[in-house]
Amino acid sequence: MQTQLRTKKNDSYNLKINWFSPIPPAPTGIADYTVRLMKELSQFLEVTIWTEQQVYDLEITHYAIVRTYDCSCFSCPELHEADLNIYHVGNNGSFHTNIWQLSQQFPGLVVLHDARLHHLFGEIYRDKWHDQKAYLQLMSYYYGETGKKLAERFWDRQISIEWMAENFPLTELALAGSLGVVVHNPEVEQNLQQKLQIPVHYLPLCYNFTSVLRSVAPRTLEPPYKLITFGHLGLNRRIDQILKALQTLPQKQDFHWDIYGTVWDKKYLQKQICTSGLQNHVSVHGFVPDQVLHEALSQAHLAINLRYPSMGEASLSQLWIWYHALPSLVTDISWYHHLPSDTVAKVRLECEIQDIQAHLQNFHAHPDAFVEMGLRGKALLEKQHLPSTYAKQLVQIISTMTASYQLSSNPLVKDYFAKRVSQEFPEISENLWLYSNANGINQAIRFITS
């Protein structure tokens, strides 16, 4: 199925791109990121969004062509009609398995939404494909014999996926064969630049909240103070630790914690709440529409956005929090570690429960100071995370990459570098796919110029 652009600001575009990503109503922040970025990108590019979804919000068709595909019988020629393929890769196998597979077959630019991707590949190889041999070979290739032995234990469910993600992220597997990568975490950028021979670009994650209505009464700064946590809530969101902190907090009668989003094990969570004696202080709401979440955030006093291990991602949840001028608690690791200390309250892993309680007690004693923290967070959001700025920077990256790709695809250039590599490096020339793959040409250029 194909939908045509309904509006187009330019009579023609210099560049056409293929964009592989989940789109609304898929329950993932990457889908929201895509639809809100399209309005900006459509001013510069002709975008075709490829999706496996049979149902999607039609709003996005105002700014992009939407086409559905079946990964098992994908038509290769259609991809070559565009100047660049862009693949969005995250940890949810339901949304990103086939996107990753296509990125391996048709190289392009990968936008990495998570840097620790063992959740994705564990789900693919163990739970979907049941291919232990291939999984162990990959772990051996990237992490040696130690990685292979621990992978065997993970396969037998003796080691948790969280531990594997922390110690064996498999980031390079997600980027194998790619022409470049965009990340949203400066720490990840530095790490990948040391490991990879492809361009690595850092862009501050953007979000556009114009579709969220503002007609909500302002919050009142009085007990019971409303705490809020939301999103996709797995074990890494430190729910147990927050419950322990609340359980023994002297001022707990003045706080109420609201939990929104999908929970990894709702029965377990309810049991822990009852065991902690916090039935009157914690409410679990489940997944709710954006407008309901917006109203809850507008009424909340303090957000709790803890994560360990972090998947190396920038946090869309944190941008939502700042949009509502909310102060927040964050774990002092990865992307969160680099946030200005006057825009968030940081929680150290080595004394997690003590820090949570200390911040809650400080909030109880000085709520106005935390209000100022929330306002500084919103100012940072408006300065660094605008979709218009992100779109312009991404277009510049795309323009540079397509110019390089067009040069390396020129038959004369291919022939020249193939001959030079075979003359200078006969021992490796047989392993470079010089005549079939632009990535091979890029490799050849790097070998000659290094």
Side-chain angles (χ1 to χ4, degrees):
M1 180 175 67
Q2 177 175 341
T3 58
Q4 297 297 327
L5 288 169
R6 298 183 184 176
T7 61
K8 190 161 71 171
K9 293 190 175 181
N10 302 325
D11 293 331
S12 63
Y13 295 99
N14 291 326
L15 293 173
K16 299 179 180 181
I17 63 170
N18 290 315
W19 185 280
F20 291 84
S21 169
I23 52 179
T28 165
I30 299 173
D32 296 332
Y33 151 96
T34 285
V35 72
R36 290 177 171 95
L37 189 57
M38 279 302 124
K39 183 177 181 180
E40 303 294 337
L41 285 177
S42 67
Q43 300 180 55
F44 308 102
L45 307 168
E46 180 178 321
V47 183
T48 298
I49 297 174
W50 293 89
T51 179
E52 296 178 279
Q53 298 168 219
Q54 298 301 317
V55 177
Y56 51 85
D57 292 348
L58 292 179
E59 175 193 355
I60 202 168
T61 63
H62 288 280
Y63 309 108
I65 299 168
V66 178
R67 301 193 65 175
T68 57
Y69 70 93
D70 181 344
C71 190
S72 64
C73 55
F74 197 82
S75 176
C76 173
E78 293 176 312
L79 286 190
H80 295 308
E81 294 174 2
D83 295 288
L84 187 66
N85 302 320
I86 300 180
Y87 303 96
H88 293 266
V89 177
N91 250 323
N92 192 320
S94 299
F95 301 124
H96 299 287
T97 296
N98 290 336
I99 292 176
W100 168 70
Q101 284 186 271
L102 288 172
S103 76
Q104 303 297 291
Q105 300 173 48
F106 310 104
L109 173 67
V110 173
V111 180
L112 208 58
H113 293 270
D114 293 302
R116 300 184 182 278
L117 288 156
H118 214 116
H119 286 78
L120 173 65
F121 293 118
E123 181 177 346
I124 290 174
Y125 284 96
R126 187 179 68 176
D127 302 331
K128 287 188 173 184
W129 295 351
H130 310 292
D131 192 344
Q132 182 180 20
K133 180 179 179 181
Y135 172 70
L136 295 180
Q137 287 176 339
L138 287 168
M139 286 296 292
S140 176
Y141 177 78
Y142 286 108
Y143 303 111
E145 189 63 25
T146 299
K148 180 182 177 182
K149 289 181 179 178
L150 290 167
E152 290 173 342
R153 295 183 60 193
F154 164 72
W155 192 274
D156 294 332
R157 304 184 186 277
Q158 298 175 12
I159 298 178
S160 72
I161 186 65
E162 287 75 23
W163 191 90
M164 294 297 287
E166 178 70 11
N167 293 277
F168 304 108
L170 284 173
T171 315
E172 292 161 276
L173 176 57
L175 302 173
S178 65
L179 303 177
V181 57
V182 170
V183 299
H184 301 128
N185 183 342
E187 186 177 287
V188 174
E189 177 197 29
Q190 295 174 7
N191 181 268
L192 291 181
Q193 283 177 339
Q194 295 172 1
K195 294 181 177 180
L196 303 178
Q197 297 297 318
I198 59 174
V200 181
H201 307 276
Y202 162 68
L203 295 180
L205 182 63
C206 73
Y207 213 65
N208 183 345
F209 303 94
T210 55
S211 64
V212 178
L213 302 178
R214 290 174 169 268
S215 56
V216 177
R219 62 177 66 94
T220 56
L221 199 60
E222 58 185 31
Y225 297 116
K226 296 180 180 180
L227 310 176
I228 189 168
T229 297
F230 62 97
H232 296 282
L233 305 173
L235 288 170
N236 73 318
R237 295 298 299 271
R238 316 307 286 169
I239 302 298
D240 283 339
Q241 289 73 19
I242 300 168
L243 287 172
K244 290 178 181 178
L246 286 173
Q247 183 180 19
T248 57
L249 183 73
Q251 300 86 358
K252 69 179 178 182
Q253 71 278 0
D254 288 335
F255 290 96
H256 189 91
W257 185 26
D258 290 296
I259 302 174
Y260 291 86
T262 54
V263 179
W264 80 100
D265 189 333
K266 190 172 182 179
K267 289 183 178 179
Y268 170 83
L269 176 58
Q270 293 289 4
K271 180 181 179 181
Q272 291 301 101
I273 292 171
C274 293
T275 301
S276 303
L278 294 171
Q279 301 93 315
N280 297 326
H281 300 280
V282 181
S283 298
V284 181
H285 301 274
F287 180 82
V288 297
D290 282 356
Q291 179 60 27
V292 175
L293 181 59
H294 160 66
E295 293 171 359
L297 287 164
S298 298
Q299 295 300 308
H301 298 100
L302 180 66
I304 304 180
N305 191 24
L306 304 181
R307 296 165 195 257
Y308 180 79
S310 165
M311 298 301 109
E313 78 284 10
S315 174
L316 278 170
S317 297
Q318 191 61 42
L319 301 192
W320 269 83
I321 290 165
W322 282 338
Y323 175 75
H324 291 86
L326 264 178
S328 54
L329 309 188
V330 302
T331 308
D332 191 16
I333 58 170
S334 193
W335 181 77
Y336 307 88
H337 174 74
H338 299 278
L339 299 179
S341 294
D342 61 350
T343 64
V344 291
K346 297 179 180 178
V347 173
R348 299 165 294 174
L349 275 175
E350 61 270 21
C351 44
E352 192 170 23
I353 293 174
Q354 297 93 315
D355 277 5
I356 294 170
Q357 290 184 334
H359 288 312
L360 292 177
Q361 289 172 328
N362 286 338
F363 179 94
H364 191 272
H366 308 286
D368 289 336
F370 280 77
V371 170
E372 292 299 317
M373 176 189 292
L375 292 172
R376 287 191 292 267
K378 184 164 187 177
L380 183 66
L381 172 75
E382 294 171 346
K383 180 180 179 181
Q384 294 188 3
H385 298 277
L386 292 176
S388 57
T389 302
Y390 185 103
K392 290 175 183 177
Q393 293 174 332
L394 182 58
V395 168
Q396 183 59 52
I397 292 169
I398 293 169
S399 300
T400 302
M401 287 188 64
T402 53
S404 173
Y405 182 86
Q406 289 164 3
L407 173 65
S408 64
S409 298
N410 184 299
L412 295 176
V413 176
K414 277 188 176 185
D415 186 61
Y416 170 76
F417 279 110
K419 290 179 180 178
R420 284 293 307 276
V421 170
S422 64
Q423 292 169 0
E424 299 291 337
F425 304 96
E427 70 280 5
I428 56 92
S429 62
E430 293 180 359
N431 295 320
L432 294 175
W433 302 340
L434 297 175
Y435 292 98
S436 60
N437 185 317
N439 191 38
I441 297 295
N442 291 334
Q443 292 181 51
I445 293 172
R446 289 194 296 270
F447 275 117
I448 290 175
T449 59
S450 62

